[in-house]
């Protein structure tokens, strides 16, 4: 532990050499798996409740980790839409084979909930509260959303930014498009590339080491007949999608603007992802494979009405803490494509190299199950690091109500 502290205090040390060092107290990732991402309301998980989705993934963690479940001291579930998430994760964990000594809780920071769950478990490990924990993100968007049932109290609404927290996400996307002159054409071009990359990745089998098959029940909407199905691949990618086809899609939020469409916005999706974390010394003692090192994460706030540009603030904030340069030190970037408007803005503002960004496509093509995305990006990004034999992964997303979050990881499977 002393060496770890001294390394952090040593002045003038290159950021890259510092984060790639290996110390016994490092927080490391030993397993990352996810479900296929299914189209909400009409896809393979449309009749699968959140509790079964979480339970199924937890069973896969037990199966794949080669770890005695009693070693997992805490489980954190990132979820946005279900107020009963804390009940669900505790019961699902017990049913999946974790002992009653494994604690559980839920966390909600909207679209960053999966990364927030990872950060919470990692922080517990780094401060000595636990040695091993599991972060998961899960969302059944088929079950409904997280919309406010009624407006805020009148006293709160007297503050304009507080009132702006009630703006629908589509409105905030149109605000970004208008405020920063992100054209419909630029957004459609970005979306077409997301679809192209997802199609390429799916055809090449790049997602295969991320995804675990999930068996569930689906109901025929006409006959009501139920049948068992096993989902093995993402449903979002529409092969053959082009800029020309996307340019014909009507605006999704005509009351707010004419640039964001169903084709250049993230898909409404059901899915879940899991990240198993422990202290490096614990991983070595338990003979667990170290996939990556978790370096850290940070969050920032901004005006709610342009919440989409959050990553353009969170990414520099995170990189400055580690003395890293986005252009020279980062190998792979997973930026959540909530809307093409915010993605194009962030790419242009930060000067992101397109070749490093969302190599397998992003949420426009794959989908954005709100609570799961932060964990899903880690699964995808680390898998891509392994495929390319690259080291440093950066993940980031915008967050409803005007926030941004970013996470930093070092792949150790070179």
């Amino acid at each position: 532990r002393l060496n770890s502290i001294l390394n952090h205090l040593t002045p003038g040390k290159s950021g890259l050499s510092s984060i790639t060092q290996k110390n016994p107290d490092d927080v490391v990732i030993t397993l990352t798996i996810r479900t296929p991402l299914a189209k909400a309301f009409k896809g393979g998980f449309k009749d699968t409740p959140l509790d079964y989705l979480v339970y199924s993934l937890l069973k896969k963690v037990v199966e794949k980790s080669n770890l005695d479940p009693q070693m997992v001291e805490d489980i954190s579930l990132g979820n946005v839409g279900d107020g009963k998430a804390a009940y669900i994760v505790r019961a699902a964990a017990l049913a999946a084979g974790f002992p009653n000594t494994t604690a559980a809780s839920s966390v909600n920071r909207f679209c960053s909930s999966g990364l927030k769950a990872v950060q919470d478990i990692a922080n517990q490990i780094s401060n000595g509260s636990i040695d091993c924990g599991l972060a998961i993100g899960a969302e059944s968007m088929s079950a409904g959303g997280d919309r406010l049932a009624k407006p805020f109290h009148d006293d709160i609404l007297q503050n304009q930014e507080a009132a702006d927290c009630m703006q629908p996400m589509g409105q905030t996307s149109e605000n970004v498009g208008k405020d920063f002159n992100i054209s419909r054409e630029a957004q459609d071009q970005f979306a077409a590339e997301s679809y192209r990359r997802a199609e390429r990745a799916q055809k090449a089998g790049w997602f295969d080491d991320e995804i675990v098959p999930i068996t569930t029940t689906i109901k025929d909407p006409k006959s009501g007949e139920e049948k068992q199905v096993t989902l093995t691949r993402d449903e979002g990618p529409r092969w053959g999608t082009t800029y020309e086809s996307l340019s014909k899609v009507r605006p999704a939020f005509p009351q707010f603007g004419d640039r964001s469409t169903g084709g250049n916005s993230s898909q409404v999706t059901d899915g879940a992802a899991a990240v198993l974390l422990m202290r490096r010394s614990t991983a070595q003692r338990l003979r667990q494979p170290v996939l990556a090192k978790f370096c850290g994460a940070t969050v920032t706030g901004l005006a709610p009405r342009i919440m989409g540009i959050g990553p353009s603030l969170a990414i520099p904030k995170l990189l400055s803490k580690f003395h890293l340069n986005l252009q020279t030190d980062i190998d792979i970037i997973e930026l959540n494509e909530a809307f093409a408007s915010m993605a194009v803005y962030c790419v242009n503002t930060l000067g992101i190299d397109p070749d490093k960004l969302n190599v397998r496509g992003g949420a426009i093509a794959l989908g954005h199950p709100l609570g799961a995305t932060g964990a899903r990006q880690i699964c995808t990004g680390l898998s891509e690091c392994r495929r390319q034999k690259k080291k440093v992964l950066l993940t980031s997303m915008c967050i409803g109500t005007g926030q941004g979050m970013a996470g930093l990881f070092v792949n150790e499977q070179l």
Side-chain angles (χ1 to χ4, degrees):
R1 186 179 291 271
L2 186 58
N3 283 340
S4 180
I5 294 168
L6 288 172
N7 283 325
H8 285 296
L9 295 178
T10 306
K13 181 160 277 189
S14 148
L16 202 56
S17 67
S18 179
I19 66 166
T20 52
Q21 283 189 344
K22 297 178 182 179
N23 296 294
D25 285 329
D26 291 339
V27 178
V28 298
I29 295 169
T30 60
L31 179 73
T32 58
I33 57 173
R34 68 176 179 88
T35 72
L37 302 184
K39 289 177 178 292
F41 307 113
K42 56 185 178 182
F45 288 138
K46 71 180 180 66
D47 302 308
T48 301
L50 180 66
D51 58 359
Y52 184 80
L53 197 60
V54 172
Y55 162 73
S56 298
L57 186 61
L58 288 173
K59 281 208 302 182
K60 292 290 184 181
V61 169
V62 172
E63 178 188 316
K64 295 274 186 184
S65 66
N66 195 29
L67 180 72
D68 185 342
Q70 71 177 354
M71 301 307 298
V72 178
E73 295 167 77
D74 197 13
I75 301 174
S76 179
L77 165 65
N79 174 265
V80 178
D82 197 319
K84 299 180 179 66
Y87 285 109
I88 287 170
V89 65
R90 173 64 171 160
L94 294 169
F98 290 90
N100 61 16
T101 51
T102 300
S105 68
S106 64
V107 63
N108 177 5
R109 201 200 294 274
F110 303 114
C111 305
S112 69
S113 298
L115 178 57
K116 170 74 171 151
V118 169
Q119 183 189 41
D120 283 5
I121 291 294
N123 286 349
Q124 288 191 76
I125 295 170
S126 64
N127 71 21
S129 298
I130 62 174
D131 291 321
C132 176
L134 177 65
I136 55 178
E139 203 74 40
S140 171
M141 296 186 77
S142 293
D146 62 327
R147 289 184 180 86
L148 291 166
K150 60 180 182 179
F152 297 121
H153 191 280
D154 287 346
D155 287 6
I156 293 174
L157 292 174
Q158 287 176 21
N159 178 287
Q160 185 56 53
E161 289 202 322
D164 288 345
C165 289
M166 295 180 60
Q167 287 195 12
M169 293 299 97
Q171 183 176 357
T172 70
S173 176
E174 291 291 2
N175 292 343
V176 169
K178 278 183 280 202
D179 285 15
F180 305 107
N181 196 27
I182 312 295
S183 69
R184 165 75 190 263
E185 290 72 25
Q187 294 185 44
D188 286 344
Q189 284 167 348
F190 183 92
E193 180 62 11
S194 181
Y195 275 107
R196 188 193 70 78
R197 292 182 180 202
E199 178 179 342
R200 176 186 63 182
Q202 206 166 45
K203 286 178 174 176
W206 294 351
F207 293 117
D208 293 354
D209 78 334
E210 299 176 43
I211 296 174
V212 290
I214 301 292
T215 300
T216 187
T217 301
I218 193 166
K219 186 184 292 185
D220 186 296
K222 291 178 181 174
S223 68
E225 182 186 344
E226 292 188 351
K227 65 174 182 179
Q228 201 173 68
V229 294
T230 299
L231 277 61
T232 60
R233 56 189 285 152
D234 297 326
E235 297 174 353
R238 292 192 287 266
W239 293 5
T241 298
T242 63
Y243 167 75
E244 288 72 27
S245 63
L246 290 171
S247 66
K248 294 171 185 168
V249 182
R250 287 178 299 186
F253 316 104
Q255 67 274 43
F256 305 123
D258 59 4
R259 306 182 196 201
S260 293
T261 73
N264 63 31
S265 305
S266 58
Q267 297 182 35
V268 180
T269 310
D270 303 326
V275 179
L276 183 60
L277 301 112
M278 57 188 76
R279 196 181 312 281
R280 187 185 295 277
S281 57
T282 303
Q284 291 168 337
R285 177 168 55 83
L286 299 174
R287 295 193 169 95
Q288 286 282 301
V290 175
L291 301 185
K293 173 181 171 180
F294 172 79
C295 301
T298 195
V299 68
T300 189
L302 68 153
R305 64 177 298 279
I306 50 170
M307 68 93 203
I309 72 168
S312 71
L313 303 173
I315 289 172
K317 180 179 178 181
L318 179 66
L319 296 185
S320 70
K321 291 181 183 297
F322 290 93
H323 309 291
L324 295 173
N325 181 290
L326 179 61
Q327 279 68 38
T328 58
D329 295 330
I330 307 300
D331 297 314
I332 299 292
I333 301 163
E334 281 285 322
L335 175 70
N336 188 41
E337 301 168 354
F339 298 95
S341 59
M342 54 72 56
V344 171
Y345 175 89
C346 291
V347 169
N348 293 344
T349 301
L350 296 174
I352 293 174
D353 181 347
D355 291 338
K356 297 179 178 181
L357 176 71
N358 297 356
V359 179
R360 303 181 180 187
I364 289 171
L366 298 173
H368 175 27
L370 304 177
T373 288
R376 196 281 302 167
Q377 288 180 310
I378 299 167
C379 296
T380 303
L382 288 179
S383 176
E384 183 58 25
C385 283
R386 293 191 294 270
R387 188 187 73 83
Q388 289 195 36
K389 294 183 167 42
K390 299 289 189 183
K391 270 193 176 178
V392 185
L393 168 68
L394 173 71
T395 70
S396 189
M397 69 287 290
C398 58
I399 304 168
T401 70
Q403 301 175 69
M405 194 169 185
L408 186 68
F409 310 82
V410 175
N411 168 42
E412 296 191 5
Q413 294 285 313
L414 295 168

